[in-house]
Amino acid sequence: MHHSTRASALVPALAPALAITLAVIGIGGHVTSALAQNATATPATPSTQQANAAIAAQLPLDDRGDFEAAERGLIARDDNLVIKEDNGATVWDMPAYDFIEGQAPDTVNPSLWRQAKLNNKHGLYKVTDRIYQLRGYDLSNMSLIEGDTGWIVVDPLITAETAGAAWQMAKEHIVGDKPIVAVIFTHSHVDHFGGIEGVVSAEQAKKNGVRIIAPKGFMEESTSENLLAGPAMGRRATYMFGGALERSPRGHVGSGLGKAPAQGHFSILAPTDEIDHTGQTLTVDGLEFEFQYTPESEAPAELTFYLPRLKAFCGAELVSRNLHNLYTLRGAKVRDALKWSGYIDEALQMYGDRAEVVFNSHHWPIWGHNEIVDYLKTQRDTYKYIHDQTLRMANAGMTPREIAEQITLPDSLAQSFHNRGYYGTVSHDSKAVYQWYFGWFDGNPANLNPLPPAESAKKYVAFMGGADAVVDKARTSFDAGEYRWTAEVLNHVVFAEPDNTRAKQLLARTYDQLGYRAESGPWRDFYLTGAKELREGAQGTSLDLRKGIGLLRQVPIARFFDAMAARLNGPEAAKHDLTINFDFSDLGENHVLQIENGVLHHWQRPAADDANATVHLTHPALLALIGGQLSPKQLKVDGDRASLGRFFSLLEAPDRGFAIVTP
């Protein structure tokens, strides 16, 4: 018998099941920002000081060319660039990085320190005739192109707050009375579209006929990429971007690609113009754009473009001023190094002889024909070199760890600062190439079915004479500067005995030293966050879904149910066969959800007559439910209340603060 009831059973289950961590789309998103001074971080040891001094001796750190380029065209700068939400919460704080000046301290790799100083350059810059950039207002750049009657905005940052502040700076100095006539989203990562409502709202765009230009697949990729794995990626992003670390010489100094992701409200607008092939042209407000379509390179949906009239090439994130990630440490599908290199070569062949300036979605531009050609060749050849040499060594029987230990770039590539491993590294990019072709298994039967970490750790520690003996030996290795080995053996002790204070303290000190040596910003942040969590416990993640409602509106209903399926407790669900209708009255569509064989399936089709229950709601109600503005008790439900409660009881809330450096 069917009857109407109130869905109180939804309270503990539906919101967690659908509370997707959208903030980590593309770059890891909005992570914890705990900037209190970390008084427990240790000084650099003599061994670390020597290692960093050796790096300084290898590189021309006194070369001022990049510093001059990074300041070229400066129009205006806000020396107190602090951006806040209406409620007073800080979204962006550039003065927090004011400590980055002068020579590198011994707790920061001097090459990373140089990049951090360059990424501190912020303000409104003129790139060339009609092209301007706002740099240092977020992790990424916002570029402005002056058309005949208005402005074309390229990549409006992560948040409405940072994009709005950047646009306000532009209005004060260059915009005049001209309106925004078009927006270009170069690719599907949130740092290149999330701040759209800071420059133009959906209503304004529709009313004024603002063109929204994006690559084919942009909406699907930008709203769905990482959706299913969002909670895990969000937790790992806390490590990758150093969100819980102080901004200091012993903490976070930058991400290499920029400073860090801003925190604030993010949204999206659907394209009016889609780019789906290389050579496609559009005339936008009197300017001709030649587009290069570059999917499955740095992003699943990406484009670059060339402006013949201005002799300017926008490389989006196909190229940048650091080695990029073929695999991003927060966790994502690996990227195709060969295809990426091929796209850079295509750009070189199409635009290399014509371009007089290259400007990108991160960092500062490149001017001059010879400089541009060298830049594109070097970036192209780096990804190709990593790809080819990884395969050469793999085909000789070497494993990912062996390849990563041996592969190094030739001097002709390694000496270019724009090619250094400030974000990606040769080490983990080579492992990504191996994974692309061969997957996780290295071919050694011992690695086919190893024991899980905690269980193997206990046996390792017992074999090595017990925890006290291992820690004593590890201390000797630490004193000898053998930090990679020290971390490996102490990790076993911590996983075998999570409450072993001696092991945790020494492992934290070890991670400090590894972080201080790292040239990669994400590597540094991973090590130092690991040290912080060993000392203080898990730092968790920070996400307010209400800040992403503008993006959530664009997520297809089916993707929410995909995410729900990934929360299903399979062993328990295998005991039940259940069918639930979700009736969206405003969309005129019904989704049938069915649990069978421990699997949740869903289809958009007419309501199932034999459903155990039917939930009646609207699309805005679903979003309000996810964001916490709507109580599940307000939803109307027809059917068997017990079955509905049982259905939602099978959905597990993801743990966004799970342990990483402890079991």
Side-chain angles (χ1 to χ4, degrees), residues 175-316:
V175 168
D177 296 329
K178 290 185 175 182
I180 293 173
V181 296
V183 177
I184 299 176
F185 297 136
T186 63
H187 54 296
S188 53
H189 292 160
V190 72
D191 52 327
H192 306 281
F193 66 80
I196 180 62
E197 292 197 345
V199 295
V200 60
S201 68
E203 294 75 15
Q204 291 170 331
K206 182 177 181 180
K207 177 182 178 181
N208 299 330
V210 177
R211 297 175 71 174
I212 310 295
I213 302 165
K216 181 181 178 181
F218 170 78
M219 287 300 289
E220 178 181 357
E221 297 294 347
S222 60
T223 59
S224 299
E225 188 191 29
N226 306 336
L227 196 63
L228 300 180
M233 289 182 181
R235 174 72 174 112
R236 289 166 57 148
T238 308
Y239 275 64
M240 180 171 174
F241 292 103
L245 298 175
E246 61 175 333
R247 274 56 172 150
S248 81
R250 295 189 187 181
H252 171 81
V253 299
S255 301
L257 194 66
K259 302 315 297 182
Q263 301 186 56
H265 293 80
F266 51 98
S267 187
I268 196 170
L269 292 183
T272 62
D273 296 83
E274 187 175 84
I275 305 303
D276 61 8
H277 65 276
T278 294
Q280 185 174 346
T281 62
L282 290 177
T283 299
V284 183
D285 199 29
L287 288 175
E288 182 184 12
F289 285 73
E290 297 180 13
F291 290 96
Q292 180 192 21
Y293 181 50
T294 62
E296 299 176 338
S297 54
E298 188 272 338
E302 187 150 358
L303 60 77
T304 72
F305 60 84
Y306 179 70
L307 295 161
R309 183 170 164 187
L310 306 180
K311 298 182 179 180
F313 174 62
C314 175

Side-chain angles (χ1 to χ4, degrees), residues 10-32:
L10 295 172
V11 177
L14 179 57
L18 297 181
I20 311 306
T21 314
L22 286 168
V24 299
I25 288 177
I27 60 165
H30 306 284
V31 295
T32 303

Side-chain angles (χ1 to χ4, degrees), residues 28 105 126 147 176 316-317 335 453 497 535 571 595 637 646:
K126 182 174 182 178
E317 209 162 331
R335 297 157 182 174
E497 299 183 4
R535 294 177 173 118
I595 291 179
V637 177
R646 189 159 57 250

Side-chain angles (χ1 to χ4, degrees), residues 484-524:
R484 291 168 66 191
W485 172 245
T486 304
E488 187 171 336
V489 295
L490 287 175
N491 185 64
H492 287 309
V493 180
V494 171
F495 269 71
E497 299 183 4
D499 296 325
N500 190 312
T501 302
R502 283 184 67 215
K504 289 168 71 175
Q505 289 177 345
L506 185 54
L507 182 54
R509 293 180 61 195
T510 303
Y511 285 154
D512 284 340
Q513 302 309 312
L514 289 168
Y516 297 161
R517 293 183 178 199
E519 186 176 34
S520 163
W523 278 38
R524 176 184 175 89

